[in-house]
Amino acid sequence: MNPMLRLFFCLFCFSLSLSGYAQKILQYEGQLIDAENNTPIPFALIADQHGKYGGISDENGNFSFKAPAGIVFTFSSVGYKTTSSPLQASQTISLIPAAKQLENVMILANESPEKILERADKTIQLEELKSLPQFLGETDIIKNIQMQAGVSTVSEGTSSFFVRGGSADQNLILLDGVPIYEVSHLFGIVSVFNQDMLSSSDLYTGGIPARYGSRLSSVLDAKTKKPDLHQLNISGGVGLLSSRINVESPIIKEKLSVSISGRRSYIDYFQKQLAPEEAKRNFIYFGDLYGQIYFRPSEKDQIHISVYYGRDQFTSIDNFSFSWGNKLAQINWDHYFHKNFYIKTGANFSEFGFQMNNPADPQLAFLWENQVQNTQLFSEMNWKYSKSDLQIGLQANYSHYRPGEISPLSTFSQFLEFNLPQYHNTEYSIYIQENYSWDKLQMSFGLRSSVFQHIGPWEIRQNGQKISKIKDLAPVSSFYHISPRLNIHYQPKKNTDLFFTFQNMYQPVHQITNGTIPLPFNTWIPSFKNLNPQTSIQYTLGIEEQLNASFSTRVELFYKELTNVSEFSDNAQTIGNPDLIYDVRQGRGMGRGVEFTIDKTKGKLKGQFNYTYSRSIRKIDGVNQGKQYDTSFDRPHIFNLWMTYKINEQWKVGSTFQYASGRPTTLPSSKYQFRGYALNYFPQRNNYRMPDFHRLDLSATWTPKSNQDRRFKSSLTMGVYNVYNRKNLFTIMASNDPSGKAVFKQVYLFPVMPTLSYNFEF
């Protein structure tokens, strides 16, 4: 060969080898942990400077992705200092907690495919909540959720929320994976979530992953902080309504730690001290307690145990009383066979109970109780490989329902003892979900299959008479359902995300309510032969655009169809009716609308603007004479805005403004005589719309300079609730005056009020 050709050939081969070496792709695996306590950092962002390579840590802080050798990656998570460094093939990265709150950065270009597919529709910014106005100083994630796009509420002072045309019972609310049947304290003024124990709170309204089931409209997944494995930490706060404290401490450093969070209101204490003597028997209080154990026996194992107990008590002057509360318990074991393959196994228990009694009057003395319990076993496999993420899980549930038991409390009582039928059921579910990612396209497909059985003991009755009995655990009726889920994201350019979601949901439980405002004494019952499971189909189409480093926008269109939604029939007798369930009717529902969101997440000024136009409609035979009607939570126009502005290191101000169209309610239009009685005539259900709702709240947070130089940190938040003293209508009560003339009483809740809370941690 010609020497020149030989030299050229050698140089060509050498250049190819250099090119191949430069493009060498490595598999990067590791874990992100807190530098102070060695606890995992979930859902942290890992990205190179161009946003082309990287990933997101899972809920246990682990990450795995492929990228060329020699790239410098940036590691960031809310509450931690951002760190940049090259990666080895397998490495543990420690992030240092920020001395002050970090700005929440969301840049679509730097989000991994897994993050885009698994991202909740709404992630609640817990740190920003502390600087926003709160009723009587009580920071509450539920109140912030009620301000999100696509979410409505029937009134202020409630913990219920309604998502995209669905009712309140169609929201799956989880605390560390355990379902909560009732989230309210003080009839809804605050919720069961203590801010000091929470690490994250995500709301899914579309593209709900297959691991979630048994509800139609949304999933609120709240997770608590794992106890610190390294040092003792104490945090808490004092407000006008209650005080709270959270204590976490290692027992065996880097292996075993515990925490306990408690909260107690003191309205009853002040009332006993300050109220007139005749009013001291009228009191109300709430309290809750949450405890955790976190154990890491090895690098491949994590065990998490937690228990929750919460209770409310209200007693009037004449000793008429309500009490209600939740009990939760759970144990989870995560075992890692490999960085990319782990199995989560566990069990949990949830109970909600309610009591109402009137012992003072012997002729009206009674006790009314209801209760629901659920026990769940589950196991879930997670496997990340190549450009896919596979999740397979099994869930088994057993539930027991006591819808209502009334007992007389004296021999002279006019109340007779009777019990509504008790229900027992099992539900077995298997689900699979796989996330795929290509260059600009990400797709997630999920499938959930459920078998729901109403089981014995059960009496079969005909014309009020028992004709046979089904023995314990024997099936009475069975329901089967397959729920497909689809989530597609396409990024035509760096900062734009187009998405489409489809979900088919299934709900075999029902909340039976006789009013427009869900209260703690509403009744839960499962599906059985005469009450079919609810189902829904929802389509969502949207676009999200990152305008710059600070601003992002999101627009979504949704359409939802519901079947077998439940309502009481017209003129149903809901009190003292042993055949109550046979007054429930089922039919169809529809929700449709558009949601618009603007987020500002960086800089001194942060905030969020949400606007929703939506409609919620029902059509049920036997309800409203079979005619279509607006639901009680149909509020076409909803506008919510919150903002915080950091003046300097010591002062931050915040504001919220809320507006919503008036909600429908049912009022009589005239009267008629029947057998000498004057009766109200109701032309149709929800025939009147209340006035529009709007309210402005302001706050200011002061942080002492000394916080920067010591471990003890504190802040004081002051504010004004309902600044311009708007009289927002809570409800309208129809009655008759002594002459028989109709009287409508308008009930308002909260005038202009001060808010105050003091928070600390060390």
Side-chain angles (χ1 to χ4, degrees):
M1 179 182 291
N2 186 291
M4 290 300 294
L5 291 176
R6 185 180 302 171
L7 178 62
F8 177 78
F9 179 75
C10 292
L11 290 173
F12 176 74
C13 292
F14 181 67
S15 66
L16 285 179
S17 67
L18 287 177
S19 175
Y21 176 79
Q23 295 300 318
K24 184 178 181 181
I25 302 297
L26 298 179
Q27 179 73 36
Y28 292 99
E29 300 174 354
Q31 186 183 34
L32 288 172
I33 62 172
D34 188 303
E36 292 186 354
N37 55 41
N38 294 328
T39 57
I41 302 175
F43 312 121
L45 179 65
I46 308 157
D48 72 318
Q49 62 177 339
H50 303 295
K52 186 175 181 181
Y53 300 102
I56 198 79
S57 64
D58 63 19
E59 61 183 11
N60 295 303
N62 296 302
F63 61 86
S64 177
F65 56 85
K66 291 182 178 180
I71 292 180
V72 175
F73 289 93
T74 297
F75 307 87
S76 60
S77 181
V78 176
Y80 292 88
K81 292 182 178 179
T82 299
T83 300
S84 296
S85 71
L87 265 179
Q88 299 176 4
S90 180
Q91 188 175 355
T92 298
I93 303 295
S94 299
L95 297 186
I96 300 172
K100 56 187 178 183
Q101 176 191 335
L102 288 180
E103 296 169 339
N104 183 18
V105 182
M106 184 191 72
I107 302 178
L108 292 176
N110 287 341
E111 285 196 289
S112 69
E114 294 88 350
K115 176 63 175 174
I116 292 174
L117 290 170
E118 289 291 328
R119 185 179 65 205
D121 299 86
K122 288 90 182 173
T123 297
I124 309 306
Q125 300 183 33
L126 299 177
E127 287 299 320
E128 290 297 332
L129 277 183
K130 297 177 182 179
S131 301
L132 291 175
Q134 302 291 344
F135 179 75
L136 295 179
E138 296 294 319
T139 302
D140 191 348
I141 64 168
I142 294 293
K143 298 300 183 284
N144 187 268
I145 284 169
Q146 291 172 345
M147 295 180 65
Q148 299 298 312
V151 181
S152 66
T153 182
V154 292
S155 175
E156 62 181 343
T158 68
S159 292
S160 61
F161 59 94
F162 306 83
V163 177
R164 292 182 171 179
S167 56
D169 67 313
Q170 294 171 359
N171 303 313
L172 177 62
I173 301 175
L174 303 171
L175 180 61
D176 284 335
V178 187
I180 303 177
Y181 288 92
E182 177 56 53
V183 297
S184 70
H185 278 313
L186 296 181
F187 297 101
I189 292 177
V190 295
S191 76
V192 299
F193 297 109
N194 182 343
Q195 70 172 62
D196 291 327
M197 68 185 189
L198 294 180
S199 65
S200 66
S201 178
D202 296 325
L203 180 68
Y204 297 86
T205 61
I208 297 176
R211 65 181 178 271
Y212 300 114
S214 299
R215 297 295 188 275
L216 298 187
S217 291
S218 75
V219 177
L220 172 57
D221 192 355
K223 291 184 173 64
T224 59
K225 302 173 184 175
K226 289 184 172 65
D228 197 319
L229 288 167
H230 184 69
Q231 65 180 4
L232 172 68
N233 295 313
I234 300 175
S235 62
V238 179
L240 297 178
L241 190 62
S242 69
S243 292
R244 64 189 191 280
I245 191 167
N246 179 68
V247 181
E248 50 185 325
S249 174
I251 304 300
I252 303 174
K253 282 195 174 183
E254 302 184 7
K255 287 286 186 181
L256 176 66
S257 60
V258 298
S259 71
I260 186 167
S261 300
R263 186 169 51 160
R264 175 61 157 85
S265 66
Y266 25 69
I267 303 174
D268 55 324
Y269 174 79
F270 287 129
Q271 191 163 18
K272 289 179 181 178
Q273 301 298 319
L274 304 175
E277 192 64 33
E278 64 275 10
K280 287 186 177 180
R281 294 197 308 272
N282 188 1
F283 72 92
I284 185 171
Y285 79 88
F286 76 87
D288 48 36
L289 197 64
Y290 188 78
Q292 298 184 80
I293 299 174
Y294 179 49
F295 181 41
R296 298 184 67 184
S298 71
E299 291 296 321
K300 294 185 176 182
D301 296 278
Q302 300 179 44
I303 297 173
H304 182 220
I305 301 171
S306 65
V307 293
Y308 170 88
Y309 176 82
R311 200 71 183 169
D312 283 69
Q313 178 72 45
F314 169 76
T315 302
S316 64
I317 295 176
D318 56 3
N319 285 330
F320 188 84
S321 67
F322 305 100
S323 64
W324 68 92
N326 293 280
K327 298 176 184 177
L328 311 175
Q330 65 94 20
I331 178 170
N332 286 343
W333 172 38
D334 295 352
H335 177 71
Y336 280 79
F337 296 90
H338 184 268
K339 289 288 184 182
N340 294 333
F341 181 75
Y342 72 93
I343 291 180
K344 174 183 289 188
T345 304
N348 60 60
F349 171 80
S350 177
E351 176 186 295
F352 169 71
F354 168 79
Q355 289 184 335
M356 179 170 62
N357 64 74
N358 180 30
D361 186 345
Q363 293 187 346
L364 298 175
F366 73 94
L367 172 65
W368 177 20
E369 300 178 282
N370 70 41
Q371 186 184 76
V372 55
Q373 296 177 333
N374 183 78
T375 302
Q376 181 185 77
L377 303 175
F378 67 90
S379 185
E380 180 181 280
M381 180 202 77
N382 291 266
W383 181 26
K384 294 183 179 180
Y385 63 96
S386 184
K387 293 185 176 182
S388 299
D389 184 1
L390 178 64
Q391 188 177 83
I392 300 175
L394 298 168
Q395 296 173 353
N397 291 270
Y398 168 77
S399 300
H400 177 208
Y401 300 81
R402 293 168 52 205
E405 299 176 1
I406 292 183
S407 305
L409 295 181
S410 78
T411 56
F412 305 101
S413 177
Q414 299 177 15
F415 286 87
L416 300 178
E417 182 171 348
F418 81 92
N419 300 325
L420 293 174
Q422 296 189 26
Y423 300 86
H424 304 259
N425 73 261
T426 58
E427 183 180 15
Y428 304 98
S429 301
I430 181 171
Y431 60 89
I432 180 171
Q433 179 151 333
E434 187 153 14
N435 301 334
Y436 299 92
S437 60
W438 293 274
D439 184 23
K440 294 184 177 182
L441 180 68
Q442 297 85 40
M443 185 175 72
S444 174
F445 176 75
L447 196 66
R448 183 182 182 91
S449 178
S450 299
V451 179
F452 184 89
Q453 287 190 317
H454 172 212
I455 60 175
W458 183 254
E459 292 183 354
I460 298 178
R461 306 177 73 86
Q462 187 173 357
N463 298 324
Q465 300 296 320
K466 172 184 171 183
I467 59 174
S468 64
K469 183 176 181 179
I470 296 177
K471 63 181 181 180
D472 293 3
L473 303 180
V476 181
S477 55
S478 301
F479 304 93
Y480 308 90
H481 192 79
I482 295 178
S483 301
R485 322 280 175 87
L486 180 64
N487 190 353
I488 300 174
H489 287 255
Y490 175 67
Q491 293 179 280
K493 57 182 182 178
K494 185 177 180 180
N495 292 320
T496 302
D497 180 29
L498 303 174
F499 56 91
F500 169 80
T501 70
F502 165 82
Q503 61 191 36
N504 182 313
M505 307 297 287
Y506 170 77
Q507 179 169 331
V509 296
H510 312 257
Q511 187 183 59
I512 307 300
T513 176
N514 185 33
T516 58
I517 301 173
L519 294 173
F521 38 87
N522 292 315
T523 299
W524 289 87
I525 58 174
S527 295
F528 67 110
K529 183 178 180 180
N530 299 306
L531 190 64
N532 292 316
Q534 305 175 73
T535 60
S536 72
I537 293 176
Q538 178 178 282
Y539 305 89
T540 303
L541 181 66
I543 179 172
E544 186 167 4
E545 180 84 16
Q546 188 74 39
L547 303 176
N548 53 41
S550 298
F551 283 95
S552 66
T553 63
R554 183 182 178 101
V555 180
E556 290 185 69
L557 301 170
F558 70 87
Y559 178 79
K560 179 191 291 183
E561 292 182 351
L562 305 102
T563 58
N564 295 327
V565 290
S566 303
E567 290 277 3
F568 278 120
S569 63
D570 295 334
N571 304 314
Q573 180 185 346
T574 60
I575 303 297
N577 182 3
D579 297 318
L580 177 67
I581 191 59
Y582 299 105
D583 281 331
V584 175
R585 301 291 182 265
Q586 292 190 284
R588 304 183 67 83
M590 184 273 292
R592 67 177 187 271
V594 58
E595 303 166 5
F596 179 66
T597 297
I598 299 177
D599 267 307
K600 188 176 188 302
T601 57
K602 292 187 66 177
K604 290 187 174 183
L605 176 67
K606 298 179 184 179
Q608 186 179 81
F609 163 82
N610 291 306
Y611 169 75
T612 303
Y613 172 80
S614 65
R615 299 308 306 267
S616 177
I617 296 169
R618 299 287 186 268
K619 190 176 188 301
I620 303 173
D621 290 341
V623 177
N624 196 42
Q625 304 173 32
K627 300 176 183 177
Q628 178 177 292
Y629 64 95
D630 298 336
T631 66
S632 60
F633 43 89
D634 175 64
R635 312 188 86 156
H637 299 280
I638 300 177
F639 166 94
N640 291 307
L641 173 69
W642 67 261
M643 293 187 300
T644 62
Y645 181 74
K646 187 176 182 180
I647 300 173
N648 53 42
E649 294 299 324
Q650 283 73 53
W651 284 98
K652 180 186 282 189
V653 293
S655 67
T656 61
F657 179 77
Q658 301 177 61
Y659 168 86
S661 302
R663 69 175 178 87
T665 190
T666 304
L667 293 176
S669 61
S670 60
K671 288 184 158 301
Y672 64 95
Q673 295 289 326
F674 180 76
R675 294 182 179 179
Y677 292 96
L679 302 177
N680 291 324
Y681 172 68
F682 298 89
Q684 64 182 41
R685 184 164 295 205
N686 295 333
N687 60 321
Y688 174 78
R689 239 176 228 282
M690 293 186 182
D692 293 351
F693 171 94
H694 51 89
R695 193 187 73 235
L696 172 68
D697 307 326
L698 299 174
S699 68
T701 300
W702 173 67
T703 303
K705 284 185 177 180
S706 56
N707 277 3
Q708 302 174 10
D709 304 319
R710 58 181 182 177
R711 190 181 174 200
F712 180 86
K713 304 180 186 304
S714 64
S715 65
L716 181 69
T717 300
M718 304 154 283
V720 181
Y721 182 92
N722 194 4
V723 172
Y724 51 85
N725 199 28
R726 163 72 175 177
K727 289 187 175 181
N728 287 304
L729 202 56
F730 179 72
T731 190
I732 300 175
M733 302 177 66
S735 61
N736 298 323
D737 64 13
S739 66
K741 183 180 179 181
V743 176
F744 296 95
K745 182 179 180 181
Q746 301 184 33
V747 179
Y748 307 96
L749 284 185
F750 307 120
V752 56
M753 298 177 68
T755 68
L756 182 69
S757 70
Y758 172 75
N759 301 292
F760 63 88
E761 60 179 69
F762 61 90

mmCIF file of all heavy atoms in Angstrom, residues 133-139 195 238-242 244 717 754-759:
data_model
loop_
_atom_site.group_PDB
_atom_site.id
_atom_site.type_symbol
_atom_site.label_atom_id
_atom_site.label_comp_id
_atom_site.label_asym_id
_atom_site.label_seq_id
_atom_site.Cartn_x
_atom_site.Cartn_y
_atom_site.Cartn_z
ATOM 1 N N PRO A 133 -51.868 34.141 53.849
ATOM 2 C CA PRO A 133 -52.888 34.326 54.891
ATOM 3 C C PRO A 133 -53.628 33.015 55.149
ATOM 4 O O PRO A 133 -53.985 32.294 54.216
ATOM 5 C CB PRO A 133 -53.836 35.370 54.288
ATOM 6 C CG PRO A 133 -53.065 36.017 53.186
ATOM 7 C CD PRO A 133 -52.119 34.996 52.671
ATOM 8 N N GLN A 134 -53.845 32.718 56.413
ATOM 9 C CA GLN A 134 -54.557 31.505 56.796
ATOM 10 C C GLN A 134 -55.575 31.843 57.881
ATOM 11 O O GLN A 134 -55.323 32.695 58.737
ATOM 12 C CB GLN A 134 -53.592 30.434 57.333
ATOM 13 C CG GLN A 134 -52.496 30.035 56.355
ATOM 14 C CD GLN A 134 -53.008 29.269 55.162
ATOM 15 O OE1 GLN A 134 -54.134 28.756 55.170
ATOM 16 N NE2 GLN A 134 -52.198 29.186 54.118
ATOM 17 N N PHE A 135 -56.691 31.150 57.857
ATOM 18 C CA PHE A 135 -57.750 31.421 58.823
ATOM 19 C C PHE A 135 -57.253 31.155 60.243
ATOM 20 O O PHE A 135 -56.825 30.040 60.566
ATOM 21 C CB PHE A 135 -58.967 30.546 58.510
ATOM 22 C CG PHE A 135 -60.113 30.747 59.466
ATOM 23 C CD1 PHE A 135 -60.898 31.878 59.397
ATOM 24 C CD2 PHE A 135 -60.389 29.805 60.445
ATOM 25 C CE1 PHE A 135 -61.945 32.076 60.277
ATOM 26 C CE2 PHE A 135 -61.435 29.983 61.324
ATOM 27 C CZ PHE A 135 -62.215 31.124 61.240
ATOM 28 N N LEU A 136 -57.280 32.184 61.083
ATOM 29 C CA LEU A 136 -56.843 32.111 62.481
ATOM 30 C C LEU A 136 -55.424 31.546 62.614
ATOM 31 O O LEU A 136 -55.074 30.945 63.624
ATOM 32 C CB LEU A 136 -57.822 31.268 63.311
ATOM 33 C CG LEU A 136 -59.232 31.866 63.451
ATOM 34 C CD1 LEU A 136 -60.116 30.928 64.270
ATOM 35 C CD2 LEU A 136 -59.185 33.238 64.106
ATOM 36 N N GLY A 137 -54.602 31.717 61.552
ATOM 37 C CA GLY A 137 -53.217 31.269 61.619
ATOM 38 C C GLY A 137 -53.006 29.803 61.377
ATOM 39 O O GLY A 137 -51.905 29.294 61.617
ATOM 40 N N GLU A 138 -54.031 29.075 60.882
ATOM 41 C CA GLU A 138 -53.918 27.635 60.674
ATOM 42 C C GLU A 138 -53.516 27.340 59.230
ATOM 43 O O GLU A 138 -54.329 27.429 58.314
ATOM 44 C CB GLU A 138 -55.252 26.939 60.993
ATOM 45 C CG GLU A 138 -55.678 27.044 62.434
ATOM 46 C CD GLU A 138 -54.738 26.298 63.371
ATOM 47 O OE1 GLU A 138 -54.301 25.183 63.012
ATOM 48 O OE2 GLU A 138 -54.455 26.829 64.456
ATOM 49 N N THR A 139 -52.254 26.991 59.005
ATOM 50 C CA THR A 139 -51.796 26.607 57.672
ATOM 51 C C THR A 139 -52.396 25.259 57.303
ATOM 52 O O THR A 139 -52.285 24.293 58.054
ATOM 53 C CB THR A 139 -50.264 26.527 57.629
ATOM 54 O OG1 THR A 139 -49.723 27.790 58.005
ATOM 55 C CG2 THR A 139 -49.776 26.153 56.249
ATOM 56 N N GLN A 195 -49.138 20.613 59.217
ATOM 57 C CA GLN A 195 -48.115 21.042 58.268
ATOM 58 C C GLN A 195 -46.717 20.594 58.664
ATOM 59 O O GLN A 195 -45.861 20.334 57.806
ATOM 60 C CB GLN A 195 -48.130 22.560 58.132
ATOM 61 C CG GLN A 195 -47.623 23.290 59.378
ATOM 62 C CD GLN A 195 -47.470 24.777 59.160
ATOM 63 O OE1 GLN A 195 -48.442 25.444 58.896
ATOM 64 N NE2 GLN A 195 -46.260 25.284 59.275
ATOM 65 N N VAL A 238 -47.717 28.223 67.281
ATOM 66 C CA VAL A 238 -48.833 28.637 68.125
ATOM 67 C C VAL A 238 -49.699 29.582 67.301
ATOM 68 O O VAL A 238 -49.204 30.568 66.741
ATOM 69 C CB VAL A 238 -48.343 29.352 69.400
ATOM 70 C CG1 VAL A 238 -49.529 29.787 70.253
ATOM 71 C CG2 VAL A 238 -47.410 28.444 70.195
ATOM 72 N N GLY A 239 -50.992 29.272 67.188
ATOM 73 C CA GLY A 239 -51.929 30.123 66.473
ATOM 74 C C GLY A 239 -53.069 30.549 67.370
ATOM 75 O O GLY A 239 -53.102 30.220 68.561
ATOM 76 N N LEU A 240 -54.029 31.262 66.802
ATOM 77 C CA LEU A 240 -55.179 31.710 67.587
ATOM 78 C C LEU A 240 -56.140 30.567 67.886
ATOM 79 O O LEU A 240 -56.933 30.656 68.819
ATOM 80 C CB LEU A 240 -55.923 32.815 66.824
ATOM 81 C CG LEU A 240 -55.140 34.105 66.575
ATOM 82 C CD1 LEU A 240 -55.986 35.079 65.770
ATOM 83 C CD2 LEU A 240 -54.710 34.741 67.898
ATOM 84 N N LEU A 241 -56.063 29.492 67.089
ATOM 85 C CA LEU A 241 -57.005 28.387 67.226
ATOM 86 C C LEU A 241 -56.410 27.179 67.916
ATOM 87 O O LEU A 241 -57.073 26.510 68.709
ATOM 88 C CB LEU A 241 -57.513 27.988 65.833
ATOM 89 C CG LEU A 241 -58.676 27.023 65.747
ATOM 90 C CD1 LEU A 241 -59.922 27.613 66.393
ATOM 91 C CD2 LEU A 241 -58.952 26.664 64.292
ATOM 92 N N SER A 242 -55.132 26.877 67.627
ATOM 93 C CA SER A 242 -54.506 25.672 68.163
ATOM 94 C C SER A 242 -53.004 25.850 68.229
ATOM 95 O O SER A 242 -52.441 26.807 67.677
ATOM 96 C CB SER A 242 -54.844 24.453 67.293
ATOM 97 O OG SER A 242 -54.208 24.554 66.033
ATOM 98 N N ARG A 244 -49.251 23.354 67.925
ATOM 99 C CA ARG A 244 -48.764 22.089 67.387
ATOM 100 C C ARG A 244 -47.280 21.952 67.697
ATOM 101 O O ARG A 244 -46.579 22.945 67.920
ATOM 102 C CB ARG A 244 -48.996 22.019 65.885
ATOM 103 C CG ARG A 244 -48.218 23.047 65.120
ATOM 104 C CD ARG A 244 -48.578 23.142 63.655
ATOM 105 N NE ARG A 244 -47.621 23.972 62.936
ATOM 106 C CZ ARG A 244 -47.640 25.298 62.940
ATOM 107 N NH1 ARG A 244 -48.582 25.948 63.593
ATOM 108 N NH2 ARG A 244 -46.712 25.977 62.280
ATOM 109 N N THR A 717 -46.196 35.283 61.701
ATOM 110 C CA THR A 717 -47.062 35.644 60.578
ATOM 111 C C THR A 717 -48.317 36.305 61.099
ATOM 112 O O THR A 717 -49.026 35.742 61.943
ATOM 113 C CB THR A 717 -47.428 34.406 59.740
ATOM 114 O OG1 THR A 717 -46.233 33.815 59.225
ATOM 115 C CG2 THR A 717 -48.331 34.786 58.578
ATOM 116 N N PRO A 754 -58.651 38.923 62.443
ATOM 117 C CA PRO A 754 -57.185 38.900 62.461
ATOM 118 C C PRO A 754 -56.678 37.457 62.405
ATOM 119 O O PRO A 754 -57.369 36.517 62.792
ATOM 120 C CB PRO A 754 -56.846 39.535 63.816
ATOM 121 C CG PRO A 754 -58.011 39.156 64.689
ATOM 122 C CD PRO A 754 -59.218 39.173 63.778
ATOM 123 N N THR A 755 -55.484 37.285 61.882
ATOM 124 C CA THR A 755 -54.819 35.982 61.902
ATOM 125 C C THR A 755 -53.433 36.162 62.502
ATOM 126 O O THR A 755 -52.785 37.200 62.309
ATOM 127 C CB THR A 755 -54.697 35.377 60.496
ATOM 128 O OG1 THR A 755 -53.785 36.163 59.726
ATOM 129 C CG2 THR A 755 -56.044 35.342 59.794
ATOM 130 N N LEU A 756 -52.981 35.171 63.220
ATOM 131 C CA LEU A 756 -51.679 35.266 63.890
ATOM 132 C C LEU A 756 -51.149 33.861 64.143
ATOM 133 O O LEU A 756 -51.883 32.985 64.612
ATOM 134 C CB LEU A 756 -51.816 36.020 65.218
ATOM 135 C CG LEU A 756 -50.524 36.231 66.016
ATOM 136 C CD1 LEU A 756 -49.611 37.206 65.284
ATOM 137 C CD2 LEU A 756 -50.845 36.749 67.418
ATOM 138 N N SER A 757 -49.886 33.646 63.808
ATOM 139 C CA SER A 757 -49.245 32.371 64.150
ATOM 140 C C SER A 757 -47.753 32.597 64.352
ATOM 141 O O SER A 757 -47.126 33.400 63.640
ATOM 142 C CB SER A 757 -49.481 31.320 63.064
ATOM 143 O OG SER A 757 -48.777 31.619 61.899
ATOM 144 N N TYR A 758 -47.202 31.887 65.317
ATOM 145 C CA TYR A 758 -45.774 31.923 65.612
ATOM 146 C C TYR A 758 -45.223 30.526 65.354
ATOM 147 O O TYR A 758 -45.736 29.534 65.872
ATOM 148 C CB TYR A 758 -45.541 32.324 67.069
ATOM 149 C CG TYR A 758 -44.099 32.201 67.507
ATOM 150 C CD1 TYR A 758 -43.147 33.137 67.104
ATOM 151 C CD2 TYR A 758 -43.688 31.156 68.328
ATOM 152 C CE1 TYR A 758 -41.828 33.030 67.504
ATOM 153 C CE2 TYR A 758 -42.370 31.037 68.742
ATOM 154 C CZ TYR A 758 -41.444 31.978 68.330
ATOM 155 O OH TYR A 758 -40.143 31.864 68.721
ATOM 156 N N ASN A 759 -44.189 30.441 64.521
ATOM 157 C CA ASN A 759 -43.605 29.156 64.148
ATOM 158 C C ASN A 759 -42.143 29.109 64.546
ATOM 159 O O ASN A 759 -41.435 30.128 64.499
ATOM 160 C CB ASN A 759 -43.740 28.933 62.637
ATOM 161 C CG ASN A 759 -45.184 28.959 62.176
ATOM 162 O OD1 ASN A 759 -45.961 28.084 62.502
ATOM 163 N ND2 ASN A 759 -45.551 29.989 61.414
#
